Amino acid sequence: MIAKIEKLLAEIDGISAANLEETEALRLKYLSKKGEINALMADFRNVPAEQKKEVGMKINELKQKATEKINSLREQCQTAQSTEDDIDLTRTAYPVRLGTRHPLTIVKNEIIDIFSRMGFMLADGPEVEDDKHVFTMMNFAADHPARDMQDTFFIETSAEDVAKNIILRSHTSSVQARVMEKTQPPIRIICPGRVYRNEAITARAHCFFHQIEGLYIDKNVSFTDLKQVLLTFSREMFGSETNIRLRPSYFPFTEPSAEMDITCHICGGKGCGFCKHTGWVEILGCGMVDPNVLELCGIDSSVYSGYAFGLGVERITNLKYQVSDLRMFSENDVRFLKEFEAAN
C-alpha cells in the first residue's frame, strides 16, 4: 500500500493539462468516487493495524497534493482562456490614431470655464427660431436692416412658418429672450451656440459661426460691473498684462453700447501688422440692457437693470491661434486639426 501511494505521489508531481477538459479528466482519474485515491481508501480496511496510522497519513497527503495540483492546473487554464477571449481578432493590425478636439471647441470650453468661475450659468435654445425671440423682444424695429433677406435665413415650409417668420437665429440673444420671459431676476447666464447669417463665404466671413453671449440682470447693476467682468475675462484668456478699452457703439438691445478692444497680444500694444499698427484688437460688443428689452420680456425696468455682451468664438480662436482663414474651421482638414493636439 505504501509503495502504491508513493508511486501516485510521484505521478501527480508530473501531471499537466493543456485545457480545462484535460484538467477535468485528471480530477475524475484521481479524486472522483471511482478515482484511484478513493480506491485506496476502500482498501484501507485491509491494512494491518500497526500500519494504519502511517498509511492513513500518506493517503491524506496524497489527496491534499492531488487536490492542490489539479486546482492549480484549472486556474492556469482559465487564465489562459480568458486572455485568448480578450483578443479582438477582427481589429486592424495598424494602430488606431486618436482624434483631437476641434480648435473652436477648445476655445469655447475655455471661455465657458472662465465665465462659469465668475458665476455665470449655461443656457441653451433652439437654432430654428421665430422672429419674436430673435428680433422683436430684442428691441429691433420693424424696418431694421437685420430683418432683411440679405442678412437672415428665413424658413418657409408651411403657411404657419411664413406667418410666424420662422428663421435660423442670427445671434444667440434669442436664448436671452427665452430665459428672461420665463425667469425673474437675478439672472446670470452665458449662451453659447451656432448662429447663421446670409453672407458670402470668404476667408474673413462665413454663413454660420459660433457666439457666446452673456447676460446679467439684478438690482443696481452698473456699467462698472460690466467693465470689471470683461477685464477679468480678457486677462484670464489672453494673459495678465492684457488691457481693454471700450469705444461707443450701437446695438438695438443695449443702451449705452460699446465695442471692446484688447491690447494686441502679438506685439504687446506696440503696433504690428496683425493689429494694423494700432496696438488694439476688437473682440466683442457689449452694453447695458435697454429698458425696452426688459419690459418686452416681462421684467420691471424701474427695479432691475443689467448688462449683456457677445463675442465670436471664431474671432477669439483667430486671436489665440492666429488662424488666417475662417473656412479652415469647417473644412475638416485633418492636417489642420492635427495642429491642435497639444491644446487638448
Side-chain angles (χ1 to χ4, degrees):
M1 176 72 77
I2 294 293
K4 190 173 182 179
I5 293 172
E6 293 290 350
K7 180 182 178 182
L8 286 173
L9 282 169
E11 186 178 314
I12 287 171
D13 273 334
I15 64 174
S16 63
N19 50 53
L20 291 173
E21 288 76 12
E22 291 182 9
T23 305
E24 179 63 14
L26 290 172
R27 187 192 70 81
L28 294 173
K29 178 180 178 181
Y30 294 106
L31 296 173
S32 67
K33 290 184 178 180
K34 296 182 180 181
E36 296 190 24
I37 295 175
N38 208 47
L40 287 176
M41 290 180 175
D43 290 340
F44 183 70
R45 61 178 178 270
N46 300 323
V47 175
E50 65 273 13
Q51 295 181 3
K52 281 187 180 292
K53 182 178 179 180
E54 181 183 2
V55 172
M57 291 174 65
K58 283 288 186 181
I59 291 176
N60 288 335
E61 180 187 351
L62 175 63
K63 183 176 182 180
Q64 182 178 353
K65 188 170 185 178
T67 302
E68 291 176 353
K69 182 71 173 181
I70 291 171
N71 286 341
S72 176
L73 291 173
R74 181 182 292 110
E75 289 179 4
Q76 292 175 15
C77 292
Q78 287 175 339
T79 301
Q81 181 174 332
S82 175
T83 303
E84 290 176 1
D85 291 343
D86 289 341
I87 298 175
D88 182 3
L89 299 178
T90 65
R91 191 176 66 181
T92 176
Y94 300 100
V96 178
R97 294 186 60 85
L98 295 177
T100 62
R101 290 189 183 276
H102 195 281
L104 294 180
T105 302
I106 296 170
V107 172
K108 182 190 74 172
N109 289 344
E110 187 174 353
I111 296 171
I112 290 173
D113 179 65
I114 292 171
F115 283 112
S116 295
R117 285 188 271 117
M118 289 192 279
F120 287 82
M121 305 295 291
L122 280 175
D124 194 15
E127 294 183 12
V128 179
E129 263 288 8
D130 55 38
D131 179 276
K132 173 185 174 183
H133 291 94
V134 175
F135 294 129
T136 303
M137 296 179 73
M138 287 291 106
N139 200 36
F140 281 79
D143 57 352
H144 195 282
R147 294 174 179 266
D148 192 87
M149 284 286 291
Q150 299 302 314
D151 292 325
T152 305
F153 286 107
F154 286 80
I155 298 176
E156 299 179 3
T157 59
S158 67
E160 184 179 357
D161 288 343
V162 174
K164 291 184 178 180
N165 280 338
I166 302 301
I167 61 178
L168 294 178
R169 66 184 182 189
S170 54
H171 50 201
T172 52
S173 301
S174 57
V175 181
Q176 299 180 21
R178 288 187 175 275
V179 171
M180 284 189 287
E181 72 176 346
K182 295 179 181 178
T183 308
Q184 283 299 303
I187 298 170
R188 192 195 295 259
I189 59 170
I190 51 174
C191 318
R194 179 180 290 184
V195 298
Y196 306 84
R197 292 181 188 174
N198 191 5
E199 297 182 0
I201 299 175
T202 67
R204 300 179 62 86
H206 211 291
C207 62
F208 70 84
F209 52 97
H210 301 78
Q211 283 186 336
I212 295 182
E213 295 195 21
L215 174 70
Y216 177 44
I217 300 175
D218 204 346
K219 296 178 180 178
N220 303 316
V221 178
S222 69
F223 203 97
T224 303
D225 300 323
L226 169 62
K227 182 179 178 181
Q228 188 59 46
V229 164
L230 296 180
L231 177 62
T232 301
F233 162 72
S234 299
R235 290 181 172 174
E236 287 281 329
M237 193 75 194
F238 298 104
S240 59
E241 301 300 318
T242 304
N243 291 317
I244 67 172
R245 73 175 183 183
L246 297 168
R247 296 177 287 103
S249 186
Y250 166 77
F251 302 111
F253 36 83
T254 53
E255 179 60 39
S257 303
E259 300 277 2
M260 190 185 88
D261 304 329
I262 62 169
T263 48
C264 179
H265 66 289
I266 295 176
C267 65
K270 297 178 181 178
C272 66
F274 186 79
C275 61
K276 299 179 181 178
H277 301 283
T278 65
W280 297 94
V281 180
E282 178 188 327
I283 67 167
L284 58 82
C286 60
M288 300 300 294
V289 178
D290 193 299
N292 288 339
V293 172
L294 296 177
E295 295 294 339
L296 287 167
C297 295
I299 296 174
D300 190 345
S301 61
S302 64
V303 178
Y304 297 102
S305 58
Y307 61 71
F309 56 85
L311 53 91
V313 179
E314 281 85 351
R315 179 64 170 163
I316 303 298
T317 307
N318 274 343
L319 293 174
K320 194 171 181 67
Y321 297 118
Q322 299 179 41
V323 179
S324 59
D325 193 335
L326 279 177
R327 292 170 292 191
M328 298 180 73
F329 291 131
S330 56
E331 289 178 348
N332 293 323
D333 188 329
V334 294
R335 295 170 299 178
F336 170 69
L337 299 177
K338 188 178 178 181
E339 296 179 14
F340 298 90
E341 285 180 337
N344 282 270

